[in-house]
Amino acid sequence: DAGITQSPRHKVTETGTPVTLRCHQTENHRYMYWYRQDPGHGLRLIHYSYGVKDTDKGEVSDGYSVSRSKTEDFLLTLESATSSQTSVYFCAISEMYEQYFGPGTRLTVT
Amino acid sequence: QKEVEQNSGPLSVPEGAIASLNCTYSDRGSQSFFWYRQYSGKSPELIMFIYSNGDKEDGRFTAQLNKASQYVSLLIRDSQPSDSATYLCAAGGQGAQKLVFGQGTRLTINP
C-alpha cells in the first residue's frame, strides 16, 4: 500500500458523534486525498491537500473537514456523523499524477 | 458535472483470451487517465496511466486513449483467473489532483 496506513481500519459509531479518521504516509508525497466508496457511486473525492495546511474541497465535501499539520498526516473529521456517511473511506497519496491508495477504513454510523 | 462512464458488467472472459474494458469521459479538459484494479474488499491498485493519444503497453496490459472520441480502454492479453477483479477508470485535469472515477467494471476470467 505504498507506505500508507489508515486508522482505525473499522469503526462503528452513533449518529451525531464526531469521528476522526487518520491517514499516515511514509513516502513524503506532497498530495494527500480522502475518498469515499459506495455501491453505485464508485470512488468520490471528499477533500485533498497540496501541502501542510493547504487543502481544497472535492466533489462530496459537505459534512467533512480535514487538517494537515504535518506532511505525513492527513485527518478527516466527520463533524456530526450521519447514517449517509456509512461508507468505506480511502486515503491516497501522490507526488505528481499517479495516486496510490491506502488500505481503507470501513465506517458504520448507526 | 464531470462524468466517467463504465459498463458495470459483469464481463466474463475465458482464460487466455483478451479482456477489453472501456470507459468514456465527459470533460474535454481531461488530460490524464488511469486504470485501477480493485479486488473485493481491498484498495484500488494502479495498473496503468496514459496521457497521450494512442496506445501504451505494459506487459499484458495495453491502455488506449482517443481524446477526439473521449474514450479510454484497457486490454488485458492472456487473461488469467487472477485478473478477476473490478477495474476502475479515472480521468483528471492537468494537475490530475481531482480525479473523477467511473463506477467500475467487474471482470471475471473463467478457467
Side-chain angles (χ1 to χ4, degrees):
Chain A
D1 292 326
I4 311 169
T5 56
Q6 293 184 231
S7 59
R9 295 294 312 280
H10 301 271
K11 186 171 182 67
V12 179
T13 191
E14 293 185 349
T15 297
T17 60
V19 176
T20 295
L21 308 182
R22 180 182 183 236
C23 177
H24 178 80
Q25 61 148 329
T26 58
E27 306 294 325
N28 200 36
H29 282 0
R30 177 182 177 188
Y31 298 95
M32 299 186 74
Y33 311 80
W34 278 108
Y35 289 89
R36 59 179 290 174
Q37 187 173 37
D38 305 288
H41 289 281
L43 277 163
R44 292 179 291 174
L45 181 65
I46 304 171
H47 283 279
Y48 75 100
S49 169
Y50 48 96
V52 173
K53 298 191 190 307
D54 293 322
T55 64
D56 198 2
K57 294 180 179 180
E59 180 186 354
V60 290
S61 59
D62 287 348
Y64 301 95
S65 62
V66 291
S67 65
R68 190 172 180 197
S69 59
K70 298 185 289 185
T71 298
E72 57 267 33
D73 289 327
F74 192 32
L75 304 181
L76 176 71
T77 297
L78 288 64
E79 292 137 11
S80 177
T82 68
S83 59
S84 65
Q85 293 175 314
T86 292
S87 187
V88 179
Y89 291 86
F90 287 103
C91 173
I93 64 173
S94 70
E95 184 55 32
M96 290 294 290
Y97 305 122
E98 301 90 67
Q99 296 185 20
Y100 300 93
F101 285 81
T105 294
R106 184 172 295 276
L107 176 68
T108 303
V109 183
T110 61
Chain B
Q1 183 160 345
K2 300 174 184 177
E3 294 182 340
V4 174
E5 300 287 340
Q6 294 181 257
N7 188 323
S8 62
L11 175 64
S12 185
V13 173
E15 183 176 356
I18 296 174
S20 178
L21 303 161
N22 305 314
C23 169
T24 59
Y25 59 95
S26 64
D27 182 13
R28 285 199 171 273
S30 298
Q31 298 191 22
S32 53
F33 304 88
F34 305 86
W35 283 100
Y36 287 84
R37 176 176 63 199
Q38 187 174 25
Y39 294 114
S40 180
K42 301 296 186 181
S43 59
E45 172 192 7
L46 181 66
I47 52 173
M48 288 286 293
F49 56 90
I50 187 167
Y51 306 132
S52 303
N53 271 331
D55 295 359
K56 179 181 179 181
E57 187 175 319
D58 183 2
R60 295 187 297 113
F61 299 97
T62 299
Q64 299 175 316
L65 173 59
N66 183 327
K67 289 187 178 180
S69 300
Q70 296 177 240
Y71 180 90
V72 190
S73 64
L74 179 70
L75 301 178
I76 306 174
R77 289 181 299 281
D78 188 25
S79 296
Q80 303 297 311
S82 59
D83 294 326
S84 297
T86 296
Y87 289 79
L88 306 173
C89 173
Q94 184 173 3
Q97 277 75 48
K98 287 192 174 183
L99 291 184
V100 178
F101 282 82
Q103 294 188 32
T105 297
R106 188 156 57 93
L107 173 67
T108 300
I109 307 300
N110 300 309

